[in-house]
Amino acid sequence: MELLDSLKQKAKSLNKRIVLPEGYEERTIKAADIALEEGLAKIILLGNPDEIRSNARKLGLKNLEKAEIVDPKSHSKKNHYIDMMVELRKHKGLTKEEAGKLIEDPLYLGALMVKNGDVDGEVAGAHRSTSDVLRPAFQYIKTAPGISVVSGAFLMIVKNKSYGDNGVFIFADGGVHPNPTDRELAEIAVVSGRTARSLAGMEPRVALLSFSTKGSAKHELIDKVISATKIAQQMAPDMMIDGELQGDAALVESVGQTKAPGSKVAGKANVLIFPDLNCGNIAYKIVQRLADAEAFGPILQGIAAPVNDLSRGCSVNDIVSMIAITVKQASDRD
């Protein structure tokens, strides 16, 4: 929890604007109330103002009066955002009438607010699906320069401090891309290393995982990881990146020295890159449950501005933590 406390403390000094599109959702407005009380960010809630204020009173929330509330159906910038949408999607044949309907969806409005610089980041997904959250971000905010793929990283904190960076890891991709190509996997590795530096303040040691270590087995699935490792090393020569590594070779120093002697990553990895979404999603959930680890995410990577998704099973505290994480991501763009 020291890391999350540190992120929250940092957020208080940054004065960023975070939009929460699901202003109708109970956990979201409770989290907004806490974030405002703690001074983590300026909060913009999307939804019917009367409903939000009524729900706040019923729940005994005292800080939402500090939030800005924007009604997706009626606000001063509605026509401006509609024009933006038509201009950005005219190659797809988007009409003004269609844009007028879409902009009343809080997730589209939130994405356009981010795109227009009216807010610094967005947190959503407590009620809506990941695909619902990502679609407007893909269409209007798009990916960061030099990156073609969006991925979902998990900040993992395990109790055994001898692993990772004092028990801290980044796992990716655990939430977005089902089956990346070698180039996409390389991009995921590099942006995950950057996430480790930004959020955890640690020097990344990035391991691209496989069921083989340094040629111990042969298969086309391994070939993809080997190729991805070479591409990632070329993309980020200043970052410690190695593969292909088995899980034990990546995590356990004695095993890493035996299976991959001379590697700067083997046995000391703090960023674990899984070859596909099956592996990444299963791994983070098993570690979370069986090792009683803390898991925060998916933290979306590769988008040109911070947009973060939540699990629909998230807690109020999860949302508060994600607000602090989004503020830190926004500060990295300054």
Side-chain angles (χ1 to χ4, degrees):
M1 287 303 291
E2 295 93 345
L3 177 56
L4 264 297
D5 291 340
S6 175
L7 285 170
K8 288 179 180 179
Q9 196 61 39
K10 179 68 174 176
K12 293 177 183 181
S13 67
L14 295 172
N15 203 33
K16 296 298 182 182
R17 300 155 298 169
I18 304 298
V19 63
L20 306 179
E22 296 163 317
Y24 54 86
E25 203 273 332
E26 182 175 314
R27 289 165 297 170
T28 297
I29 62 171
K30 286 181 176 178
D33 189 75
I34 293 170
L36 289 164
E37 182 179 20
E38 296 183 1
L40 301 182
K42 294 179 179 177
I43 298 295
I44 296 90
L45 286 166
L46 304 187
N48 182 289
D50 292 335
E51 290 181 8
I52 292 173
R53 293 187 183 106
S54 175
N55 289 336
R57 285 193 297 270
K58 290 176 184 176
L59 295 168
L61 306 179
K62 304 297 185 183
N63 298 286
L64 284 192
E65 61 185 25
K66 303 174 190 174
E68 179 182 349
I69 300 175
V70 176
D71 188 342
K73 297 185 181 300
S74 177
H75 56 93
S76 62
K77 287 195 171 183
K78 186 173 183 180
N79 289 330
H80 174 68
Y81 292 144
I82 290 171
D83 291 341
M84 278 184 65
M85 293 174 77
V86 172
E87 178 63 25
L88 291 167
R89 298 286 289 175
K90 61 185 179 183
H91 65 291
K92 293 292 186 179
L94 182 71
T95 67
K96 196 161 187 174
E97 182 181 7
E98 290 168 337
K101 293 177 181 177
L102 285 174
I103 200 62
E104 294 188 0
D105 181 333
L107 291 178
Y108 277 86
L109 175 55
L112 267 294
M113 293 174 80
V114 173
K115 177 66 176 179
N116 199 48
D118 296 320
V119 297
D120 299 297
E122 174 188 338
V123 176
H127 179 252
R128 301 281 292 275
S129 69
T130 294
S131 60
D132 285 345
V133 174
L134 288 180
R135 191 177 300 110
F138 285 151
Q139 292 176 353
Y140 294 101
I141 303 172
K142 302 188 181 298
T143 55
I147 301 297
S148 66
V149 62
V150 173
S151 56
F154 282 83
L155 176 61
M156 305 292 296
I157 305 175
V158 302
K159 295 182 184 295
N160 190 333
K161 305 300 183 185
S162 64
Y163 291 115
D165 199 272
N166 198 32
V168 178
F169 287 93
I170 295 293
F171 283 21
D173 178 358
V176 178
H177 199 315
N179 189 22
T181 65
D182 57 351
R183 173 72 193 191
E184 291 169 336
L185 192 62
E187 291 180 9
I188 291 169
V190 172
V191 297
S192 298
R194 293 172 184 166
T195 295
R197 282 176 176 160
S198 169
L199 295 185
M202 60 191 189
E203 189 57 33
R205 297 183 294 276
V206 184
L208 284 89
L209 301 180
S210 176
F211 62 89
S212 166
T213 297
K214 300 298 183 181
S216 63
K218 303 293 182 184
H219 193 276
E220 61 185 22
L221 294 177
I222 302 168
D223 294 339
K224 181 176 84 167
V225 178
I226 294 171
S227 177
T229 301
K230 292 176 181 176
I231 296 169
Q233 289 168 339
Q234 292 167 358
M235 288 179 65
D238 64 327
M239 193 179 292
M240 290 180 282
I241 301 172
D242 203 3
E244 83 282 20
L245 295 172
Q246 291 165 287
D248 57 352
L251 295 172
V252 183
E253 191 162 7
S254 59
V255 177
Q257 289 173 352
T258 300
K259 291 187 173 184
S263 171
K264 294 181 179 180
V265 173
K268 297 172 284 189
N270 53 23
V271 179
L272 302 184
I273 305 302
F274 298 88
D276 60 42
L277 188 55
N278 268 325
C279 297
N281 191 271
I282 291 167
Y284 103 76
K285 289 183 177 179
I286 285 178
V287 172
Q288 181 184 22
R289 301 300 178 180
L290 296 188
D292 194 24
E294 296 176 85
F296 300 93
I299 300 160
L300 296 185
Q301 309 176 123
I303 300 180
V307 174
N308 276 312
D309 184 34
L310 297 160
S311 164
R312 278 175 283 180
C314 66
S315 68
V316 171
N317 286 336
D318 290 336
I319 302 174
V320 174
S321 296
M322 193 59 78
I323 290 171
I325 286 169
T326 307
V327 167
K328 182 61 174 69
Q329 288 178 306
S331 75
D332 292 338
R333 300 179 68 231
D334 293 346

